[in-house]
């Protein structure tokens, strides 16, 4: 698969929603444009599982075992949607990367902690399939998703949180550290921002 920024065709269709009416193209036209730009659909089924395992190994994500378990998925959802990670208890990952809006914020300039606008006039990139990206952030300053996942938490115009405080806060919450009922049991001794758990990284799948 080409080492380019990839979006699934479904995501491309979703991202066409905010375009003004006179600029919208029909579905087939958008698919044709995507193919002409050498974008290809993400693999599915067993091909997706195989590619995911390969990609995770290439990225060097720091964990062993299954690529994604049901418990990791459930933990990732909780972390992704939890505004208590931010200093104000108002900003979650989903605030800017809304999963109901194709993983973006649909604004020209992202707004974070204290309703501060992004100082670089950037909006929020989609998180859909971002583990497959060759680089992370708009400027490509990091390659690994485990590095990217740390950034927004401490960024003063995003979540503006002290990573140590976040770790202590989350590890004090029974819902995170106590095992849930089978088969979705999550048995974590601790959640660390400096060495992210698989779920913190894989929340961006």
């Amino acid at each position: 698969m080409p080492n380019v920024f990839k979006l699934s065709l479904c995501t491309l269709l979703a991202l066409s929603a905010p375009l003004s009416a006179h600029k919208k193209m029909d579905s087939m036209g958008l698919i044709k444009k995507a193919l002409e730009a050498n974008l290809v659909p993400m693999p599915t089924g067993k091909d997706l599982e195989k590619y995911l395992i390969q990609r995770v190994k290439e990225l060097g994500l720091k964990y062993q075992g299954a690529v994604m378990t049901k418990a990791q998925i459930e933990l990732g959802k909780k972390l992704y949607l939890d505004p208590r990670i931010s200093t104000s208890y108002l900003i979650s990952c989903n605030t800017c990367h809304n999963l109901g809006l194709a993983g973006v914020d649909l604004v020209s300039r992202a707004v974070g902690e204290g309703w501060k606008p992004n100082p670089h006039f950037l909006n929020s990139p989609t998180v859909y399939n971002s583990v497959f990206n060759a680089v992370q952030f708009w400027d490509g300053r990091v390659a690994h998703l485990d590095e990217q996942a740390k950034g927004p938490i401490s960024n003063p115009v995003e979540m503006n949180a002290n990573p140590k405080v976040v770790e202590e806060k989350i590890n004090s919450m029974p819902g995170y550290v106590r095992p849930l009922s089978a088969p979705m049991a999550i048995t974590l001794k601790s959640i660390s921002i400096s060495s992210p758990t698989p779920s913190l990284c894989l929340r961006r799948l």
Side-chain angles (χ1 to χ4, degrees):
M1 188 172 291
N3 190 24
V4 296
F5 184 80
K6 307 177 188 71
L7 294 174
S8 69
L9 296 184
C10 290
T11 302
L12 283 172
L13 292 174
L15 290 175
S16 69
L19 296 177
S20 57
H22 71 281
K23 290 184 178 179
K24 284 185 179 179
M25 58 183 69
D26 58 41
S27 297
M28 293 307 298
L30 185 58
I31 290 174
K32 180 181 178 182
K33 188 175 181 66
L35 293 175
E36 289 173 348
N38 295 319
L39 297 176
V40 295
M42 295 304 303
T44 59
K46 291 184 177 179
D47 289 336
L48 174 59
E49 183 178 355
K50 182 179 178 181
Y51 180 70
L52 176 58
I53 292 173
Q54 173 191 337
R55 185 62 179 146
V56 167
K57 288 180 178 178
E58 291 173 356
L59 290 173
L61 297 182
K62 301 176 179 66
Y63 72 96
Q64 302 294 323
V67 173
M68 286 186 69
T69 65
K70 289 184 178 180
Q72 288 171 339
I73 293 171
E74 289 305 306
L75 177 58
K77 287 179 183 177
K78 292 180 71 172
L79 289 167
Y80 192 88
L81 298 169
D82 198 335
R84 295 174 296 181
I85 292 176
S86 68
T87 296
S88 67
Y89 282 54
L90 293 174
I91 307 295
S92 71
C93 300
N94 196 62
T95 301
C96 294
H97 305 280
N98 193 312
L99 298 181
L101 300 173
V104 298
D105 50 16
L106 297 184
V107 296
S108 59
R109 192 176 178 187
V111 177
E113 185 75 10
W115 315 122
K116 297 173 186 174
N118 185 283
H120 305 293
F121 294 85
L122 299 173
N123 58 8
S124 303
T126 182
V127 293
Y128 284 2
N129 300 316
S130 61
V131 72
F132 300 118
N133 294 347
V135 295
Q136 305 293 332
F137 294 111
W138 284 122
D139 60 4
R141 63 183 179 270
V142 300
H144 289 201
L145 193 59
D146 56 353
E147 288 298 318
Q148 185 282 330
K150 304 174 194 176
I153 295 173
S154 59
N155 191 307
V157 295
E158 294 186 55
M159 291 183 170
N160 192 34
N162 183 318
K164 290 185 178 180
V165 173
V166 173
E167 289 178 16
E168 293 173 358
K169 187 188 303 182
I170 292 177
N171 285 305
S172 71
M173 298 176 183
Y176 282 108
V177 297
R178 288 181 185 171
L180 302 181
S181 59
M184 308 302 285
I186 300 174
T187 54
L188 288 179
K189 292 183 178 179
S190 65
I191 296 175
S192 171
I193 303 303
S194 59
S195 180
T197 68
S199 298
L200 185 60
C201 299
L202 293 175
R203 68 186 186 183
R204 301 245 170 173
L205 285 174

